Amino acid sequence: MKIAVNTRLLLPGKLEGIGWFTYETMKRIVKQHPEHEFHFIFDRSYDADFIFEDNVKAHVLNPPARHPILFYFWFEWRLPGLLRKIKPDVFLSPDGYLSLSSSVKQLAVVHDINFEYYPSFLPLGARIYLKTFFPKFARKATRIATVSEFSKKDISSQYNIDNSLIDVVYNGASSIYKPVDENDKKKVKAEFTNGSDYFVYVGAIQPRKNITNLMLAFEQFKIDSGSDQKLVLVGEKKWWSKKQEETFESLACKKDIIFTGRLEQDKLNQVLGGAMALAYVSLFEGFGIPILEAMNCDVPVLTSSVTSMPEVAGEAALLVNPFTAESIAEGMLELYQKPKLRQELIQKGREQRAFFNWEKTADLLWQSITKTANQ
């Protein structure tokens, strides 16, 4: 087969959720299937490290598609011509964006459709594009892959897509995430929290991730516990809103909230592995990879009782209502006060994490590719 792949999110030094999904699955798939030909399609100059094997051919289509108008131009005008030239059996798009103008069989990986529920959390242009085109992409797709049973049901219901056309390919977590020894925990605490224990959040600093309620909950936790505990927020302030800024400035405990910005994976493993617990109380997730990363680091998890997060966490997390700071604060206090509970969650996390790894993801995605080609 010839398989064309949208690899525009394979960006050196800037891999994020979908970029990591593309990287971890495709490097395995192209190696495991040397008899097939893969065409990686970039929207800018690429790093040679992303051309994983000899059966990969790279193509660059300009201009870089990083704006809704350019999305349309790239997928509807630039991409169809290249696909006519390549003549692939399948076009795989790990970010879910498809070409409505191409007759090639297309497999869209739709991680979630949070924009249908929280459109105001996105810039206006992105909001209009996603709400206009993703229903069309869902109907255009030969098949759809997604990362949880929750997202499968959501996509099927929202866009009236037959369940049989949607495949679940759970995410994995990088092998770099592993438990941190006590000496390294002391070092990371000395570097970031002046030696104090801390809750950690990992992800973009944006409204959908519920940072406002997390900060308010931490303030209540500090009042209730009287502890020297810190809150470490790891991630870029992509959409740091006025409300988030006002909330932060109003807190008596703001000196105990540490923003690290984006961290490289090895440092992130240290910061995540050194935490007393992960506090990941997002409003909406298609999967929630930091939950799995924390389990791999033997760190107990506090997460939301909504969307995909209970599915990913199983019994290995303390679930809270993300819509109330009081519920989050109660969860933080319970984890802080009950070392035995933390140990139970760590043990359950070791069992739960066994269900998810990138090898399984790659195998399931390959099955979805072959179904698409044969459909």
Side-chain angles (χ1 to χ4, degrees), residues 41-256:
I41 306 172
F42 299 88
D43 69 350
R44 63 190 67 197
S45 58
Y46 57 89
D47 192 310
D49 289 344
F50 294 138
I51 309 305
F52 304 118
E53 299 289 337
D54 292 340
N55 57 336
V56 176
K57 296 183 179 181
H59 307 264
V60 177
L61 284 182
N62 290 314
R66 290 297 182 276
H67 181 279
I69 294 173
L70 294 176
F71 293 158
Y72 184 83
F73 181 74
W74 200 84
F75 282 94
E76 300 306 326
W77 291 90
R78 299 288 283 133
L79 181 61
L82 180 60
L83 294 179
R84 284 193 295 271
K85 181 180 177 182
I86 296 170
K87 295 183 173 60
D89 296 279
V90 175
F91 172 64
L92 167 66
S93 186
D95 62 16
Y97 292 44
L98 299 182
S99 176
L100 302 176
S101 307
S102 175
S103 60
V104 170
K105 293 178 180 179
Q106 300 185 63
L107 172 60
V109 184
V110 180
H111 296 258
D112 66 61
I113 50 173
N114 68 82
F115 50 85
E116 297 287 1
Y117 300 89
Y118 297 102
S120 64
F121 291 168
L122 295 170
L124 180 60
R127 180 193 321 169
I128 293 171
Y129 182 89
L130 293 171
K131 286 182 70 66
T132 300
F133 283 96
F134 260 74
K136 296 178 181 180
F137 294 156
R139 291 189 287 271
K140 175 70 172 179
T142 309
R143 293 192 73 80
I144 294 171
T146 192
V147 292
S148 63
E149 290 290 346
F150 163 78
S151 279
K152 176 176 178 174
K153 292 175 184 174
D154 195 27
I155 293 164
S156 175
S157 173
Q158 189 77 26
Y159 297 144
N160 194 27
I161 304 297
D162 192 307
N163 266 324
S164 67
L165 297 177
I166 306 175
D167 304 313
V168 175
V169 293
Y170 285 115
N171 278 311
S174 171
S175 59
I176 200 168
Y177 295 103
K178 58 189 70 172
V180 174
D181 65 35
E182 291 303 319
N183 283 336
D184 284 338
K185 287 181 181 181
K186 287 179 182 178
K187 289 177 184 177
V188 80
K189 288 176 189 176
E191 181 178 352
F192 287 95
T193 64
N194 199 27
S196 297
D197 287 335
Y198 59 93
F199 293 100
V200 67
Y201 161 81
V202 178
I205 310 298
Q206 59 143 293
R208 178 170 58 87
K209 302 294 186 176
N210 207 23
I211 303 302
T212 299
N213 270 353
L214 179 58
M215 292 189 296
L216 291 171
F218 181 65
E219 172 103 318
Q220 187 60 50
F221 162 80
K222 293 285 285 185
I223 293 168
D224 294 341
S225 67
S227 74
D228 189 40
Q229 193 93 356
K230 312 296 184 187
L231 174 62
V232 176
L233 302 176
V234 181
E236 293 183 51
K237 289 184 176 179
K238 281 198 166 184
W239 293 285
W240 182 244
S241 66
K242 183 178 179 182
K243 181 180 179 182
Q244 288 172 317
E245 179 67 26
E246 289 173 349
T247 299
F248 175 73
E249 290 300 330
S250 72
L251 299 175
C253 71
K254 61 177 179 279
K255 63 179 175 49
D256 293 322

Side-chain angles (χ1 to χ4, degrees), residues 3-8 10 22 26 30 38-42 74 79 83 86 88 90-94 369:
I3 299 152
V5 187
N6 164 18
T7 51
R8 65 191 188 89
L10 286 183
T22 308
M26 294 315 300
V30 299
F38 295 85
H39 293 260
F40 284 8
I41 306 172
F42 299 88
W74 200 84
L79 181 61
L83 294 179
I86 296 170
V90 175
F91 172 64
L92 167 66
S93 186
I369 291 170

Side-chain angles (χ1 to χ4, degrees), residues 312-337:
V312 175
E315 296 182 356
L318 184 60
L319 302 180
V320 295
N321 177 0
F323 299 100
T324 73
E326 293 78 12
S327 178
I328 301 168
E330 288 169 5
M332 297 174 101
L333 189 63
E334 187 171 0
L335 281 178
Y336 172 74
Q337 292 178 335

